[in-house]
Amino acid sequence: EVQLVESGGGSVQPGGSLRLSCAASGFTFSNYGMYWVRQAPGKGLEWVSTITASGSTDYPASVKGRFTVSRDNAKKTLALEMNSLKTEDTAVYYCATGVTGTGRGQGTQVTVSS
């Protein structure tokens, strides 16, 4: 059974940074592309990043150049380094095994506010 546990969220001011982590279990993590998605209040899920099994990455324009995804296959963990945070980045962030949020965990809240 896929289990994903996100952590590292919090409240920061605009321009600040946060590092999110995701611990994976129940599947062969190294074989899977992994995703971060987010859900802002009152909105649907939004794709934030992709990292393939081989380590290639991709981002939407809204976060490109500010967010960096990485993975540690030995530790079965996924990370999202978020810099230059904006108020519009406020959301619950999830790691997932699919770009539509498949298998996502409980999420971690990120609040960007002055």
Side-chain angles (χ1 to χ4, degrees):
E1 179 187 357
V2 171
Q3 285 198 320
L4 298 170
V5 179
E6 302 91 343
S7 62
S11 295
V12 295
Q13 293 186 338
S17 299
L18 281 174
R19 180 180 174 87
L20 306 183
S21 296
C22 171
S25 62
F27 65 107
T28 307
F29 179 76
S30 59
N31 289 353
Y32 280 72
M34 295 295 298
Y35 304 83
W36 285 98
V37 298
R38 67 186 180 186
Q39 188 165 26
K43 296 188 177 181
L45 285 173
E46 177 189 14
W47 166 62
V48 173
S49 70
T50 299
I51 185 165
T52 67
S54 62
S56 297
T57 60
D58 197 14
Y59 309 88
S62 58
V63 308
K64 200 166 190 175
R66 301 188 297 121
F67 291 11
T68 303
V69 62
S70 60
R71 65 189 301 160
D72 185 329
N73 288 335
K75 295 182 178 179
K76 299 183 181 180
T77 57
L78 185 71
L80 185 69
E81 187 75 34
M82 306 187 296
N83 298 313
S84 303
L85 283 161
K86 305 176 181 180
T87 55
E88 52 262 44
D89 295 319
T90 294
V92 178
Y93 283 71
Y94 303 91
C95 62
T97 57
V99 69
T100 58
T102 307
R104 63 188 181 275
Q106 85 290 343
T108 187
Q109 175 71 48
V110 171
T111 302
V112 185
S113 173
S114 56

